[in-house]
Amino acid sequence: MKIVRNLAILLVFVTFSARVSAQRNFSAEADQSFNLKQYSIAIDMYAKAYTKVKGNKAEKARIIYQTALCYKYMNDPKKAETWFKKAVKIKYEDALVYLYYAEVLKMNGKYDEALIQFQDYKQLAPSDPRGDNGIEACKLASSWIQNPTRYEIENMKQFNSKQADFSPCYADKKFKSLFFTSNREDADGSDIDAWTGGNFTDLFFVTLDRKGKWSTPVAVGEPINTKFHEGASCLNDKASTMYYTRCEFEKKKELGCRIWVSSKKGPAWDLPEVVTLSSDTNLALVYLHPTLTADELTLYFSSDMPGGQGGKDIWKVTRSKKTKPWENPTNLGPTINTAGDEMYPYIHDNGTLYFASNGHMGMGGLDMFKAEPQAQGFGTPQNMKFPMNSSFDDFGIIFEGISVEKGYFSSNRPAGRGDDDIYAFVLPPLIFTLKGIVTNDSTKAVMPNAIVEMKGSDGTVVYDTTDVTGMYKFEKHQVLQKTTYSLSVKKNKFLTTEKSSAEVTTVGLELSKDLVQDLALIPTPKIPIVLPDILYDLAKWDLKPQYQDSLNGLYNTLIKNDNLVIELSSHTDIRGSSEYNDSLSFKRAKSVVDYLITKGIAADRMIPKGYGERQPRTLDKDKIVIYNNKPYSFTKGTQLTEAFINALKTDDEKEAAHQLNRRTEFKILREDYVPTENSKKVEPMKIEIMNNEGGATEGTDAVKKEEPKTTEPKKEEPKKTEGK
């Protein structure tokens, strides 16, 4: 009878439990947990709700979609992918299912599949930029993986656990100790987080010994750690004040996160206090991930308080003194913040802002970005690319001071020890060398014992001498990053010209490289060199502005070869009196000298001479002259004497020959010039007229005697000829 009674009681209990279970609305309970961000609980409730739905395809589709969202918000992209795929297959009516499916595919590194889903979403919601942005992000991510940056990363296996370890923070000035966040088994909070389904997180401490070995991490302990979430900390430069995040919880109630501050007293931390960052009293708001500027007058953090761009944004507060309260919460604006989440800000010692975002174009999940400081705020964020970023979550970066680019960051990418892991990173210095061969531009023979000068935009100047093969080389310690170098080569009895000079730069180069730049020297010419055509008005010697540019080549030669002394000579055609042409040609040569003096060439480096008609030109190469719109050819070696010109068939051809005789030349007199105190002074104009015997007459009397008339002498051709 006792057994029967017990069975009867059991039957009644089971029947009652079944009735109660049947009366429960699992969908409503799941939705309530979802709204409270208790996603791990919501998943279980949605599973029960799905088994109770009979014949309602729309509700089944909604439950599948909500389950997928839970896994997405729990940061489990693999399971989220499975459930979003189901939702797409049953054609869930909200177009966002294609967007979210694409996003988790991208987080799982399936860029080709994600691209298709982004394209589908773009067709359904053409006005939403997330479709186009997703398409572009998939293409960029694939490209970044194929062309990685120089960053080298290493998993910190010495202190990472099988659980989540993230958000490192330097704990001393020498960068030999770290605080970080973890939900490992040693954490004080033993309860299960209804959001993630994992343990609550605490702050842990680890140190590096002299041999480069990390200690076993230990919990910071009370009063910093509690039964709630603690993490994402930062310290001031003295490591005497800590700001950190604490997220409390309460069943059936949505509570946010707050930033707390504690000061160090001896080896222990004082009782922490909540940092007031705004006047909003909504307890569901989150304030998290603090980072402090070196002067301790600005605090950056992440928050979802009203007035942002959407999701969690990066904000800042300021104060006038360290003892004053924080004021003026300011959103960093749409350049930094997006409709997505911007979190884990970090201010580098050089003022650069680093942060994590899933709203800016990235590889998937949270990507790390940097934004350079500007006069007002920060510039456009730049993705740190692969391998710093991956298709998974990459966040919480810190740097070891300002002199080196190394530090730590967090990531939940595959092949780690646990969920989130801490990684070390370093950017190896770029290594550049520069070498080349110096040759004789005329014979193409190599040039040993030539002196190559390399002058950097940073002010450095180094030299090298070519070896027997004509090679020069500057080593890696001489060729620096982000520097532009001017090269020039010199050797006795050779000119430094455009071919003897070059410019190379390492600005913009992102990979180490052995730079190569060959140079050439031109033998010092023994015969006069004809300058580009310089035409004068009839009977005039003033250098016209449009022909000043023709002297740039000579100017550059004199600048690059500061040891040269030259003769500048001018010639007329055979028409007109010899005395008149001598005077006119000298004045034209002097006008060139005067112009070069105004450009900074020392007067005692140039000697003007006028040869009039006395030295007919011998062509050193074939020449074509256009006269009256017709070309006239003259072959190399032709001497343009009066007899040769008079023998030409037409007047136009004769005029073309006369034009070739009207020229200005220079020749090198010496290569041993040394400047003196009077080198820059402009000398008074002197007339030097070459006589038939090669002598010269000088003096002011000659100026008066040989002053040109308003028209050409009768022996000259019509006025339109001379001076062109």
Side-chain angles (χ1 to χ4, degrees):
M1 292 295 295
K2 187 176 181 179
I3 295 175
V4 173
R5 185 171 63 248
N6 289 342
L7 288 173
I9 293 172
L10 179 61
L11 180 61
V12 171
F13 176 76
V14 172
T15 303
F16 174 78
S17 298
R19 289 177 180 175
V20 171
S21 178
Q23 292 172 359
R24 289 180 65 182
N25 189 336
F26 290 110
S27 290
E29 291 183 37
D31 291 341
Q32 183 181 14
S33 296
F34 181 89
N35 293 331
L36 290 172
K37 299 180 181 178
Q38 298 172 351
Y39 302 118
S40 63
I41 296 176
I43 286 174
D44 291 337
M45 301 306 295
Y46 281 129
K48 293 177 181 180
Y50 189 85
T51 63
K52 301 299 180 182
V53 176
K54 303 296 183 182
N56 190 341
K57 292 184 179 180
E59 178 61 12
K60 282 192 173 185
R62 191 189 75 85
I63 290 174
I64 291 173
Y65 177 70
Q66 289 296 116
T67 302
L69 288 177
C70 287
Y71 283 117
K72 181 178 187 293
Y73 297 144
M74 288 174 66
N75 205 24
D76 190 339
K78 290 185 178 180
K79 290 182 179 178
E81 177 189 334
T82 299
W83 286 89
F84 278 123
K85 183 177 182 180
K86 292 179 180 180
V88 168
K89 187 175 182 179
I90 62 175
K91 298 181 180 179
Y92 181 67
E93 60 183 11
D94 193 336
L96 286 174
V97 68
Y98 294 95
L99 176 66
Y100 295 151
Y101 185 29
E103 288 178 345
V104 295
L105 284 168
K106 183 157 74 87
M107 290 180 68
N108 291 325
K110 299 178 180 180
Y111 295 116
D112 292 340
E113 296 179 44
L115 184 64
I116 295 172
Q117 298 304 320
F118 278 122
Q119 291 170 339
D120 289 345
Y121 178 70
K122 178 182 177 180
Q123 291 183 347
L124 295 170
S127 62
D128 189 339
R130 288 179 292 182
D132 285 323
N133 290 344
I135 293 170
E136 181 66 17
C138 288
K139 296 177 181 178
L140 285 174
S142 298
S143 173
W144 292 339
I145 292 173
Q146 294 173 6
N147 302 280
T149 65
R150 294 184 298 109
Y151 283 103
E152 297 176 357
I153 66 172
E154 178 187 4
N155 187 290
M156 298 306 297
K157 295 180 180 180
Q158 292 184 52
F159 59 77
N160 282 325
S161 69
K162 294 182 179 180
Q163 286 74 40
D165 305 285
F166 58 97
S167 293
C169 164
Y170 286 113
D172 70 287
K173 294 181 180 180
K174 296 182 179 180
F175 312 106
K176 300 298 184 183
S177 57
L178 293 172
F179 288 108
F180 65 92
T181 307
S182 179
N183 66 350
R184 61 183 62 201
E185 294 178 356
D186 297 335
D188 291 340
S190 59
D191 290 337
I192 300 299
D193 183 3
W195 180 321
T196 64
N199 294 337
F200 281 83
T201 60
D202 275 346
L203 287 174
F204 284 77
F205 181 75
V206 66
T207 59
L208 184 67
D209 65 20
R210 294 180 179 178
K211 296 182 180 180
K213 184 177 180 180
W214 288 96
S215 65
T216 300
V218 296
V220 175
E222 295 181 349
I224 301 298
N225 290 335
T226 67
K227 65 178 182 178
F228 304 118
H229 278 297
E230 280 84 30
S233 59
C234 74
L235 277 73
N236 62 352
D237 283 350
K238 296 180 179 179
S240 60
T241 303
M242 176 195 289
Y243 292 84
Y244 67 98
T245 306
R246 177 181 290 171
C247 301
E248 299 184 351
F249 74 96
E250 186 175 328
K251 291 183 178 181
K252 302 295 183 181
K253 193 172 184 179
E254 182 182 1
L255 296 178
C257 303
R258 295 292 181 271
I259 293 174
W260 294 66
V261 61
S262 176
S263 298
K264 203 164 190 179
K265 283 191 174 182
W269 291 96
D270 199 3
L271 193 67
E273 298 178 349
V274 175
V275 180
T276 301
L277 299 173
S278 79
S279 59
D280 198 316
T281 59
N282 183 356
L283 296 178
L285 295 176
V286 296
Y287 303 85
L288 62 171
H289 310 155
T291 184
L292 191 67
T293 55
D295 59 10
E296 300 184 47
L297 299 181
T298 304
L299 183 74
Y300 292 84
F301 61 97
S302 182
S303 178
D304 61 354
M305 70 172 118
Q309 308 300 315
K312 298 178 185 67
D313 282 3
I314 297 176
W315 297 70
K316 71 174 182 177
V317 287
T318 57
R319 60 186 179 185
S320 57
K321 296 181 179 179
K322 297 178 185 179
T323 57
K324 296 292 184 180
W326 296 104
E327 298 178 324
N328 307 317
T330 304
N331 188 281
L332 294 194
T335 299
I336 300 298
N337 295 313
T338 69
D341 290 328
E342 280 68 47
M343 302 185 292
Y344 299 95
Y346 173 81
I347 290 291
H348 195 286
D349 288 346
N350 63 15
T352 301
L353 171 67
Y354 290 81
F355 63 96
S357 172
N358 59 17
H360 289 286
M361 198 170 296
M363 298 184 68
L366 291 171
D367 271 21
M368 293 183 291
F369 294 81
K370 69 176 182 178
E372 303 291 345
Q374 295 184 342
Q376 298 293 329
F378 298 94
T380 302
Q382 303 296 314
N383 192 295
M384 296 190 71
K385 303 179 182 178
F386 183 81
M388 292 296 285
N389 287 321
S390 67
S391 65
F392 292 82
D393 285 333
D394 306 284
F395 59 98
I397 193 170
I398 59 172
F399 285 81
E400 186 177 305
I402 198 170
S403 59
V404 295
E405 189 148 355
K406 62 185 295 189
Y408 301 92
F409 71 97
S410 315
S411 178
N412 67 343
R413 63 186 65 189
R417 289 202 65 190
D419 183 5
D420 294 310
D421 276 2
I422 294 173
Y423 289 79
F425 73 88
V426 63
L427 183 66
L430 287 169
I431 297 176
F432 299 108
T433 62
L434 173 59
K435 65 181 180 180
I437 301 294
V438 178
T439 58
N440 182 323
D441 190 57
S442 298
T443 65
K444 307 307 177 184
V446 298
M447 299 289 293
N449 299 317
I451 306 299
V452 180
E453 178 189 77
M454 183 176 72
K455 185 181 297 184
S457 56
D458 59 348
T460 58
V461 181
V462 291
Y463 299 89
D464 191 38
T465 302
T466 56
D467 60 19
V468 294
T469 68
M471 177 181 288
Y472 70 92
K473 185 174 183 180
F474 296 104
E475 302 294 344
K476 61 183 180 181
H477 64 278
Q478 297 172 311
V479 187
L480 307 179
Q481 301 179 39
K482 301 178 182 179
T483 309
T484 298
Y485 293 97
S486 297
L487 291 172
S488 63
V489 59
K490 290 184 178 181
K491 186 175 173 63
N492 289 337
K493 298 183 180 181
F494 287 85
L495 288 182
T496 299
T497 63
E498 290 184 359
K499 293 184 178 181
S500 312
S501 306
E503 187 175 275
V504 295
T505 185
T506 60
V507 176
L509 296 183
E510 297 182 357
L511 297 175
S512 297
K513 186 175 183 179
D514 293 321
L515 302 167
V516 177
Q517 180 62 60
D518 294 335
L519 301 169
L521 286 165
I522 297 177
T524 302
K526 297 180 180 179
I527 60 174
I529 300 172
V530 179
L531 295 174
D533 290 341
I534 302 173
L535 306 185
Y536 299 85
D537 288 335
L538 183 65
K540 299 292 185 181
W541 57 85
D542 301 296
L543 186 62
K544 301 173 76 172
Q546 61 264 41
Y547 299 121
Q548 292 177 355
D549 288 344
S550 299
L551 296 173
N552 283 342
L554 176 58
Y555 168 77
N556 290 330
T557 298
L558 292 173
I559 289 294
K560 294 175 181 177
N561 301 268
D562 53 8
N563 61 324
L564 298 183
V565 176
I566 67 169
E567 175 188 289
L568 271 162
S569 57
S570 193
H571 305 263
T572 66
D573 59 36
I574 60 175
R575 297 167 296 183
S577 69
S578 297
E579 294 80 4
Y580 176 80
N581 285 340
D582 287 342
S583 175
L584 181 61
S585 61
F586 175 82
K587 292 176 182 179
R588 288 176 174 174
K590 187 64 169 65
S591 70
V592 173
V593 169
D594 289 343
Y595 170 71
L596 291 172
I597 290 174
T598 65
K599 294 275 287 182
I601 304 300
D604 56 353
R605 295 183 61 193
M606 301 173 290
I607 299 174
K609 287 190 177 181
Y611 287 93
E613 63 192 67
R614 303 178 187 282
Q615 293 185 358
R617 183 175 180 179
T618 299
L619 298 180
D620 59 351
K621 59 183 177 181
D622 294 343
K623 294 286 290 184
I624 296 178
V625 179
I626 305 298
Y627 187 78
N628 281 342
N629 298 320
K630 291 183 179 180
Y632 295 94
S633 299
F634 300 90
T635 59
K636 177 181 178 181
T638 299
Q639 188 175 24
L640 302 174
T641 62
E642 182 174 6
F644 172 81
I645 295 175
N646 289 336
L648 296 174
K649 294 181 180 180
T650 66
D651 289 342
D652 283 357
E653 192 174 8
K654 293 176 182 179
E655 188 56 45
H658 284 310
Q659 186 170 314
L660 286 175
N661 260 334
R662 296 195 298 271
R663 67 200 187 275
T664 300
E665 302 171 330
F666 82 92
K667 67 179 178 180
I668 296 169
L669 302 177
R670 306 197 324 266
E671 298 180 59
D672 59 355
Y673 175 76
V674 177
T676 65
E677 293 183 359
N678 297 323
S679 293
K680 295 294 181 180
K681 292 184 178 180
V682 179
E683 297 179 348
M685 184 172 180
K686 294 181 180 180
I687 298 298
E688 182 176 1
I689 302 174
M690 306 304 297
N691 59 32
N692 290 333
E693 287 73 32
T697 59
E698 297 184 7
T700 54
D701 290 340
V703 175
K704 294 180 180 179
K705 181 178 180 180
E706 299 299 332
E707 189 71 17
K709 301 177 182 179
T710 56
T711 59
E712 296 285 348
K714 292 181 181 180
K715 183 179 177 181
E716 291 273 17
E717 292 293 330
K719 296 180 182 180
K720 67 178 182 178
T721 58
E722 174 54 39
K724 291 189 178 181

